[in-house]
mmCIF file of all heavy atoms in Angstrom:
data_model
loop_
_atom_site.group_PDB
_atom_site.id
_atom_site.type_symbol
_atom_site.label_atom_id
_atom_site.label_comp_id
_atom_site.label_asym_id
_atom_site.label_seq_id
_atom_site.Cartn_x
_atom_site.Cartn_y
_atom_site.Cartn_z
ATOM 1 N N THR A 463 7.127 -8.804 8.101
ATOM 2 C CA THR A 463 7.581 -10.185 8.097
ATOM 3 C C THR A 463 7.130 -10.938 6.846
ATOM 4 O O THR A 463 6.122 -10.603 6.239
ATOM 5 C CB THR A 463 7.059 -10.932 9.344
ATOM 6 O OG1 THR A 463 5.623 -10.917 9.308
ATOM 7 C CG2 THR A 463 7.540 -10.257 10.613
ATOM 8 N N PRO A 464 7.882 -11.992 6.438
ATOM 9 C CA PRO A 464 7.487 -12.758 5.259
ATOM 10 C C PRO A 464 6.261 -13.621 5.535
ATOM 11 O O PRO A 464 6.072 -14.133 6.637
ATOM 12 C CB PRO A 464 8.721 -13.641 4.989
ATOM 13 C CG PRO A 464 9.413 -13.751 6.302
ATOM 14 C CD PRO A 464 9.166 -12.448 7.005
ATOM 15 N N PHE A 465 5.442 -13.786 4.504
ATOM 16 C CA PHE A 465 4.215 -14.549 4.615
ATOM 17 C C PHE A 465 4.133 -15.528 3.463
ATOM 18 O O PHE A 465 4.236 -15.152 2.296
ATOM 19 C CB PHE A 465 3.002 -13.610 4.577
ATOM 20 C CG PHE A 465 1.667 -14.316 4.664
ATOM 21 C CD1 PHE A 465 1.053 -14.479 5.887
ATOM 22 C CD2 PHE A 465 1.047 -14.831 3.543
ATOM 23 C CE1 PHE A 465 -0.176 -15.141 5.986
ATOM 24 C CE2 PHE A 465 -0.161 -15.482 3.623
ATOM 25 C CZ PHE A 465 -0.768 -15.634 4.846
ATOM 26 N N GLY A 466 3.934 -16.795 3.774
ATOM 27 C CA GLY A 466 3.790 -17.818 2.753
ATOM 28 C C GLY A 466 3.885 -19.199 3.360
ATOM 29 O O GLY A 466 4.107 -19.335 4.573
ATOM 30 N N GLY A 467 3.723 -20.221 2.548
ATOM 31 C CA GLY A 467 3.632 -21.569 3.100
ATOM 32 C C GLY A 467 4.599 -22.572 2.522
ATOM 33 O O GLY A 467 5.309 -22.301 1.543
ATOM 34 N N PHE A 468 4.637 -23.737 3.156
ATOM 35 C CA PHE A 468 5.403 -24.884 2.686
ATOM 36 C C PHE A 468 4.461 -25.773 1.845
ATOM 37 O O PHE A 468 3.251 -25.606 1.834
ATOM 38 C CB PHE A 468 5.908 -25.715 3.859
ATOM 39 C CG PHE A 468 6.960 -25.068 4.715
ATOM 40 C CD1 PHE A 468 7.308 -23.749 4.582
ATOM 41 C CD2 PHE A 468 7.612 -25.817 5.685
ATOM 42 C CE1 PHE A 468 8.270 -23.160 5.379
ATOM 43 C CE2 PHE A 468 8.593 -25.258 6.501
ATOM 44 C CZ PHE A 468 8.923 -23.929 6.350
ATOM 45 N N LYS A 469 5.075 -26.737 1.167
ATOM 46 C CA LYS A 469 4.339 -27.812 0.479
ATOM 47 C C LYS A 469 3.247 -27.250 -0.437
ATOM 48 O O LYS A 469 3.507 -26.313 -1.211
ATOM 49 C CB LYS A 469 3.798 -28.797 1.512
ATOM 50 C CG LYS A 469 4.900 -29.447 2.356
ATOM 51 C CD LYS A 469 4.380 -30.513 3.318
ATOM 52 C CE LYS A 469 3.651 -29.971 4.503
ATOM 53 N NZ LYS A 469 3.335 -31.000 5.525
ATOM 54 N N ASN A 470 2.030 -27.777 -0.352
ATOM 55 C CA ASN A 470 0.962 -27.359 -1.247
ATOM 56 C C ASN A 470 0.349 -26.011 -0.898
ATOM 57 O O ASN A 470 -0.618 -25.580 -1.514
ATOM 58 C CB ASN A 470 -0.156 -28.401 -1.275
ATOM 59 C CG ASN A 470 0.233 -29.657 -2.018
ATOM 60 O OD1 ASN A 470 1.328 -29.731 -2.572
ATOM 61 N ND2 ASN A 470 -0.643 -30.645 -2.044
ATOM 62 N N SER A 471 0.918 -25.336 0.092
ATOM 63 C CA SER A 471 0.415 -24.014 0.477
ATOM 64 C C SER A 471 1.061 -22.884 -0.299
ATOM 65 O O SER A 471 0.755 -21.713 -0.023
ATOM 66 C CB SER A 471 0.602 -23.795 1.985
ATOM 67 O OG SER A 471 -0.301 -24.581 2.723
ATOM 68 N N GLY A 472 1.915 -23.205 -1.252
ATOM 69 C CA GLY A 472 2.352 -22.137 -2.127
ATOM 70 C C GLY A 472 3.819 -22.054 -2.429
ATOM 71 O O GLY A 472 4.624 -22.868 -1.986
ATOM 72 N N VAL A 473 4.145 -21.016 -3.184
ATOM 73 C CA VAL A 473 5.503 -20.734 -3.647
ATOM 74 C C VAL A 473 5.801 -19.269 -3.408
ATOM 75 O O VAL A 473 4.995 -18.397 -3.757
ATOM 76 C CB VAL A 473 5.668 -21.049 -5.152
ATOM 77 C CG1 VAL A 473 7.038 -20.629 -5.654
ATOM 78 C CG2 VAL A 473 5.422 -22.529 -5.422
ATOM 79 N N GLY A 474 6.946 -18.964 -2.807
ATOM 80 C CA GLY A 474 7.343 -17.573 -2.605
ATOM 81 C C GLY A 474 6.788 -17.005 -1.306
ATOM 82 O O GLY A 474 6.086 -17.694 -0.546
ATOM 83 N N ARG A 475 7.134 -15.745 -1.056
ATOM 84 C CA ARG A 475 6.712 -15.061 0.163
ATOM 85 C C ARG A 475 6.202 -13.673 -0.179
ATOM 86 O O ARG A 475 6.746 -12.985 -1.047
ATOM 87 C CB ARG A 475 7.878 -14.952 1.159
ATOM 88 C CG ARG A 475 8.332 -16.291 1.750
ATOM 89 C CD ARG A 475 7.226 -16.901 2.595
ATOM 90 N NE ARG A 475 7.637 -18.162 3.221
ATOM 91 C CZ ARG A 475 7.439 -19.351 2.694
ATOM 92 N NH1 ARG A 475 6.886 -19.465 1.489
ATOM 93 N NH2 ARG A 475 7.800 -20.452 3.342
ATOM 94 N N GLU A 476 5.151 -13.268 0.531
ATOM 95 C CA GLU A 476 4.634 -11.908 0.452
ATOM 96 C C GLU A 476 4.994 -11.190 1.737
ATOM 97 O O GLU A 476 5.433 -11.778 2.706
ATOM 98 C CB GLU A 476 3.118 -11.934 0.244
ATOM 99 C CG GLU A 476 2.685 -12.579 -1.057
ATOM 100 C CD GLU A 476 1.183 -12.568 -1.252
ATOM 101 O OE1 GLU A 476 0.481 -13.148 -0.424
ATOM 102 O OE2 GLU A 476 0.733 -11.970 -2.240
ATOM 103 N N GLY A 477 4.751 -9.886 1.745
ATOM 104 C CA GLY A 477 4.988 -9.113 2.956
ATOM 105 C C GLY A 477 6.372 -8.508 3.005
ATOM 106 O O GLY A 477 7.343 -9.042 2.477
ATOM 107 N N GLY A 478 6.476 -7.331 3.656
ATOM 108 C CA GLY A 478 7.751 -6.697 3.921
ATOM 109 C C GLY A 478 8.616 -6.506 2.701
ATOM 110 O O GLY A 478 8.141 -6.252 1.587
ATOM 111 N N TRP A 479 9.936 -6.624 2.904
ATOM 112 C CA TRP A 479 10.876 -6.469 1.789
ATOM 113 C C TRP A 479 10.711 -7.606 0.789
ATOM 114 O O TRP A 479 11.063 -7.432 -0.391
ATOM 115 C CB TRP A 479 12.306 -6.448 2.296
ATOM 116 C CG TRP A 479 12.649 -5.330 3.236
ATOM 117 C CD1 TRP A 479 13.329 -5.448 4.411
ATOM 118 C CD2 TRP A 479 12.341 -3.934 3.108
ATOM 119 N NE1 TRP A 479 13.464 -4.221 5.021
ATOM 120 C CE2 TRP A 479 12.858 -3.268 4.246
ATOM 121 C CE3 TRP A 479 11.653 -3.184 2.149
ATOM 122 C CZ2 TRP A 479 12.734 -1.898 4.440
ATOM 123 C CZ3 TRP A 479 11.513 -1.814 2.345
ATOM 124 C CH2 TRP A 479 12.060 -1.181 3.462
ATOM 125 N N ASP A 480 10.194 -8.753 1.222
ATOM 126 C CA ASP A 480 10.018 -9.874 0.290
ATOM 127 C C ASP A 480 9.103 -9.476 -0.870
ATOM 128 O O ASP A 480 9.342 -9.844 -2.018
ATOM 129 C CB ASP A 480 9.443 -11.087 1.013
ATOM 130 C CG ASP A 480 10.443 -11.723 1.953
ATOM 131 O OD1 ASP A 480 10.553 -11.260 3.112
ATOM 132 O OD2 ASP A 480 11.143 -12.651 1.528
#
Side-chain angles (χ1 to χ4, degrees):
T463 60
F465 179 94
F468 292 9
K469 300 185 286 189
N470 287 358
S471 288
V473 174
R475 293 295 182 268
E476 297 181 300
W479 299 133
D480 289 85

